[in-house]
Amino acid sequence: RIFIPVVALLLVGVASPARAEVDAARTKKARMEMARKVVSMVTTRDRYKKLMVQMSDQMLAASKQQGAKLPPDMNTKLIKVVSEAIPYDEMIDWSAQLYAERFTLAELSKLRDFYRTPLGKKLAEAIPEMGGEVGQKIGTILPRRLPALMKKHGLAP
């Protein structure tokens, strides 16, 4: 009589970790799926294309600043190169992984709901543009400030 309950307890003890692993895997998969939805709302294919243009423009400007001789169609080709180097789906997966690691499924659902609102849509539209503007500002300020600061901290003569 004692044997059956003991075996049942042992089976439950063995099954529980396996069940927990299955539940964890399902939760992780659900978080990744929701994260992809959220990221895709923020980074639409159109916004991705704009980002590729922005990155190409910055690379082109840096090349010109260094005195490189560039072919007339360099910008068009560079956009293609950058787009192939960083495909949309891969970028979405990279971003989704970061979201899934930092937010619970409930939080991701709330983010999805937020990005469906007018304010959320406005923010999603503005984020890449604002990021680009900050990058441009940094790109103009840093070269002016670095030489003196490098000297100040003993990193340049």
Side-chain angles (χ1 to χ4, degrees), residues 133-145:
E133 289 176 24
V134 169
Q136 287 176 341
K137 187 79 164 175
I138 290 170
T140 59
I141 291 173
L142 201 55
R144 290 187 303 205
R145 294 181 181 173

Side-chain angles (χ1 to χ4, degrees), residues 27-89:
T27 300
K28 183 177 180 180
K29 183 179 177 185
R31 277 202 340 259
M32 272 302 290
E33 288 172 3
M34 183 60 71
R36 278 190 193 95
K37 287 177 185 176
V38 170
V39 171
S40 295
M41 293 172 82
V42 175
T43 308
T44 62
R45 286 193 184 271
D46 185 53
R47 289 186 194 119
Y48 163 81
K49 288 175 186 173
K50 289 177 184 175
L51 176 64
M52 295 300 106
V53 169
Q54 219 174 42
M55 290 172 61
S56 299
D57 288 348
Q58 289 171 356
M59 292 169 70
L60 193 61
S63 295
K64 285 179 181 176
Q65 205 170 36
Q66 293 173 356
K69 293 182 182 180
L70 308 170
D73 62 347
M74 179 68 172
N75 197 26
T76 304
K77 288 182 177 179
L78 195 54
I79 291 168
K80 289 179 184 177
V81 167
V82 173
S83 297
E84 285 183 39
I86 306 168
Y88 176 77
D89 291 329

Side-chain angles (χ1 to χ4, degrees), residues 50 57 83 90 94 110 115-116 136:
K50 289 177 184 175
D57 288 348
S83 297
E90 269 187 75
W94 298 334
K110 288 178 183 178
Y115 282 117
R116 286 179 173 165
Q136 287 176 341

